[in-house]
Amino acid sequence: MKLRNWQSECVSSAIEKYKSFKKHFLGLATPGAGKTYMASVLAKKMHEQDLIDLVICFSPSSVVSSDFSDALVEQFGTHFDGTIGALGDSFTYQKLNSIPEQTWRLLDRYRVFVIFDEIHHCAGSSEHDANAWGTPIINKIKDKAEYTIALTGTPWRSDSLPIALSEYCEQSGKVLCDYIYGLKEAVRDNVCRIPQIIAVDNDKIIVNGDQEQQNFQSFSELLSQNIIPYTQLVKNELVVEQLLLRAINKLNEIRVINHNAGGLVVASSIEHACSIKNIMKCLFNTDAIIVTSNEKKPSAIIKQFRKSKDKWLISVGMVSEGTNIPRLQVCCNLSNVKTEMYFRQILGRILRKTQSKNQDAFMFIPAEPNLLDYAFRVAQDIPDGLSKVILTTMNEELNADISETENDEDSELADLSVEAAECVNLDVSVQYNQKLEEDILTAREATLEKKVHDMEIEGIFSHEQLEVADLGMYQISDTSMQKLSELNNASFH
């Protein structure tokens, strides 16, 4: 496979830096751009130039780890499984603290090239500010590896800790990347699809307390009162049905042209995933495959789905960063995690271009204010106003009841902890020090009052569309702000 222009540039830039006696390289490339292939080609070229002897790779999940191993095997024509005769191995980050000492000794005896995928999960400039994954990188790899390349599509952390092996600008505090390839460039180069993001809202929500009734005109207004947590909103059957209805219809449209196009539903918990699968089957006569860490071989399920023509995959923490399923073109985001990093990583699953005629990419989300902010920021990254953020509304009359207690919230937080632990195959007892620690901290819902609240959703809506135009990289123009204001006024009145 021929290197894309950005991949060739990045490989050349890395080798140039290494030959100038600098051993660490940080590359930023938008999710879906092809970081795995680039890094494997770089490793092969460095081996051919007699710069390295072995290659070791670390990544955030078993699926991505397997993909890296496959890519290296393709380049080198030999196995990468740590056995006799192998030129290296591919690990998940959670194995960093259990790698045997004889493996670490390879860094003393050989010139080892280390690849770090999604390095932002590893924090620390020293032992004093390092997390559980950053510590072994600092103590056992940083000074002993011959060269390293650290890759990321989202170069920030919500806990403000420094990313391992990274340098920061003293004035701005932003990470300094050796090579940057953003979504704007990827769309311009026809590498990534142009995402269309659809947010579903409701303008008549009634919450009944013990002695009072409150009315809300949007999910944003409801969530701002800390009465009903977002976790429960994404689990509400009618909200789920409305998002699924639009997502399923859109995928069916795309499959008229692309017969093997697939869809992804990101669920909040295993129980939530089972409920979503039941709704898809009973209401929409649509089958779906669930993949969680509870399965014996989740990586095999994902690889099988990648090659199949099945329509839908429901994931709990297993299909996010780096997972390569190019035929995915529609995503329904029903996760209770609300960080921008997680949002962009999920979006990246539908951005990989294929040779198919239709290259549409649609993400469906509830109109939660943080997610809307992220959606508009994504639109800013797309040239010429091509990306659209569409505010759509449920046009059916809806009725739903949700009972909330303080104990329910404890259960929801437990679900989120389990989800994060499942995502990295870790015990719940240590998951806060691992992969999604920043997502968990920011996704905690506000504490609910002990009294029970019932919610009814009864709104009937129109459909409004916003095409985001005139947006600079970091600033929204006055014209676009006026369009957004007019749309909001039209949508919520």
Side-chain angles (χ1 to χ4, degrees):
M1 180 167 40
K2 183 181 178 181
L3 284 173
R4 294 165 176 161
N5 288 339
W6 85 264
Q7 293 169 325
S8 180
E9 290 175 357
C10 189
V11 167
S12 298
S13 179
I15 292 177
E16 182 180 353
K17 183 174 183 179
Y18 297 146
K19 288 185 175 181
S20 65
F21 305 102
K22 297 178 181 178
K23 62 193 302 180
H24 302 300
F25 186 91
L26 176 61
L28 164 62
T30 188
K35 295 187 288 294
T36 302
Y37 182 67
M38 182 278 297
S40 64
V41 171
L42 172 61
K44 181 63 162 53
K45 287 183 176 293
M46 293 176 68
H47 191 266
E48 290 174 340
Q49 296 180 28
D50 195 29
L51 296 173
I52 60 172
D53 302 313
L54 302 173
V55 181
I56 296 178
C57 177
F58 294 97
S59 48
S61 72
S62 59
V63 177
V64 180
S65 176
S66 177
D67 285 346
F68 258 103
S69 181
D70 292 344
L72 290 167
V73 167
E74 181 180 348
Q75 289 298 316
F76 284 83
T78 187
H79 53 293
F80 275 81
D81 55 7
T83 59
I84 295 175
L87 287 178
D89 206 347
S90 182
F91 301 97
T92 56
Y93 283 126
Q94 56 266 33
K95 291 185 179 179
L96 269 168
N97 291 298
S98 61
I99 292 176
E101 191 59 35
Q102 58 264 34
T103 301
W104 293 123
R105 284 200 291 267
L106 293 174
L107 279 78
D108 297 320
R109 298 170 57 189
Y110 298 95
R111 298 171 300 170
V112 181
F113 179 47
V114 184
I115 301 170
F116 297 98
D117 188 40
E118 307 300 354
I119 188 64
H120 51 267
H121 289 299
C122 308
S125 58
S126 67
E127 286 189 76
H128 302 293
D129 57 8
N131 67 359
W133 291 351
T135 299
I137 292 175
I138 293 168
N139 291 339
K140 298 185 177 183
I141 299 177
K142 182 179 180 180
D143 295 330
K144 294 185 177 182
E146 190 73 12
Y147 303 104
T148 73
I149 182 169
L151 305 171
T152 181
T154 48
W156 62 82
R157 292 180 56 85
S158 60
D159 59 10
S160 299
L161 289 175
I163 298 172
L165 301 179
S166 300
E167 297 180 357
Y168 286 79
C169 175
E170 292 184 3
Q171 286 75 28
S172 68
K174 293 183 178 180
V175 67
L176 298 174
C177 298
D178 295 296
Y179 188 86
I180 298 176
Y181 189 70
L183 182 56
K184 175 179 283 191
E185 290 76 24
V187 169
R188 177 200 64 199
D189 295 343
N190 208 31
V191 170
C192 286
R193 298 171 179 139
I194 300 169
Q196 315 295 330
I197 303 172
I198 295 92
V200 175
D201 208 340
N202 193 286
D203 71 346
K204 190 176 182 182
I205 306 165
I206 302 172
V207 176
N208 296 306
D210 289 340
Q211 297 179 346
E212 60 180 358
Q213 183 183 87
Q214 294 177 271
N215 298 307
F216 302 94
Q217 294 186 334
S218 68
F219 291 151
S220 176
E221 184 183 0
L222 169 68
L223 295 169
S224 70
Q225 300 302 307
N226 295 332
I227 297 174
I228 301 295
Y230 183 66
T231 297
Q232 196 64 24
L233 187 64
V234 296
K235 291 182 178 181
N236 176 266
E237 286 192 7
L238 290 175
V239 173
V240 171
E241 290 170 12
Q242 289 299 310
L243 266 74
L244 288 177
L245 172 65
R246 289 160 172 78
I248 289 171
N249 286 341
K250 180 54 64 177
L251 181 61
N252 288 341
E253 289 177 16
I254 294 174
R255 283 176 69 98
V256 171
I257 301 173
N258 294 355
H259 302 306
N260 71 332
L264 171 67
V265 181
V266 183
S268 298
S269 65
I270 295 175
E271 181 182 2
H272 189 210
C274 293
S275 174
I276 291 170
K277 180 176 182 177
N278 185 59
I279 291 173
M280 294 179 76
K281 183 62 177 178
C282 294
L283 291 187
F284 305 110
N285 195 29
T286 297
D287 293 319
I289 297 168
I290 293 179
V291 58
T292 75
S293 63
N294 272 15
E295 275 69 44
K296 291 183 179 180
K297 295 183 178 180
S299 298
I301 294 175
I302 292 173
K303 286 186 176 183
Q304 177 61 35
F305 182 84
R306 180 190 300 167
K307 298 175 182 178
S308 74
K309 293 186 178 182
D310 295 326
K311 284 187 176 182
W312 286 96
L313 183 67
I314 304 173
S315 166
V316 182
M318 297 302 295
V319 181
S320 55
E321 293 173 305
T323 307
N324 181 21
I325 310 177
R327 69 186 189 89
L328 289 177
Q329 291 186 248
V330 177
C331 175
C332 188
N333 184 0
L334 289 167
S335 169
N336 51 3
V337 180
K338 298 179 292 181
T339 65
E340 184 164 10
M341 182 179 73
Y342 198 65
F343 178 88
R344 285 187 178 249
Q345 289 291 351
I346 292 174
L347 181 63
R349 298 319 99 209
I350 60 173
L351 297 185
R352 298 174 187 267
K353 276 211 165 185
T354 65
Q355 299 301 314
S356 300
K357 293 181 180 179
N358 181 295
Q359 292 298 318
D360 288 341
F362 286 86
M363 174 186 269
F364 294 83
I365 60 174
E368 193 276 334
N370 292 301
L371 301 186
L372 287 175
D373 286 345
Y374 307 154
F376 282 112
R377 282 207 281 271
V378 167
Q380 293 178 43
D381 293 343
I382 306 300
D384 304 323
L386 295 174
S387 181
K388 296 178 182 178
V389 178
I390 302 170
L391 300 180
T392 186
T393 51
M394 306 176 189
N395 55 12
E396 298 84 2
E397 182 172 334
L398 306 175
N399 291 278
D401 292 324
I402 298 179
S403 295
E404 291 295 335
T405 66
E406 192 172 39
N407 290 334
D408 289 334
E409 192 221 4
D410 292 339
S411 174
E412 290 152 10
L413 292 178
D415 284 345
L416 182 54
S417 298
V418 171
E419 175 193 354
E422 291 163 351
C423 184
V424 296
N425 298 321
L426 292 172
D427 293 332
V428 176
S429 60
V430 297
Q431 55 90 15
Y432 284 107
N433 292 322
Q434 305 295 339
K435 178 173 178 291
L436 288 180
E437 58 185 355
E438 61 267 42
D439 294 335
I440 298 167
L441 291 174
T442 53
R444 284 181 175 272
E445 304 291 353
T447 302
L448 294 175
E449 299 177 16
K450 290 185 178 180
K451 64 182 181 180
V452 173
H453 296 88
D454 294 324
M455 182 177 74
E456 296 180 356
I457 304 177
E458 298 181 343
I460 299 176
F461 296 95
S462 60
H463 181 106
E464 297 287 347
Q465 174 177 313
L466 170 66
E467 180 169 348
V468 180
D470 304 323
L471 295 179
M473 196 66 177
Y474 298 104
Q475 184 176 5
I476 299 178
S477 69
D478 293 338
T479 302
S480 295
M481 286 300 294
Q482 183 178 356
K483 289 182 180 180
L484 177 59
S485 177
E486 291 172 355
L487 176 62
N488 288 338
N489 289 336
S491 298
F492 299 133
H493 293 287

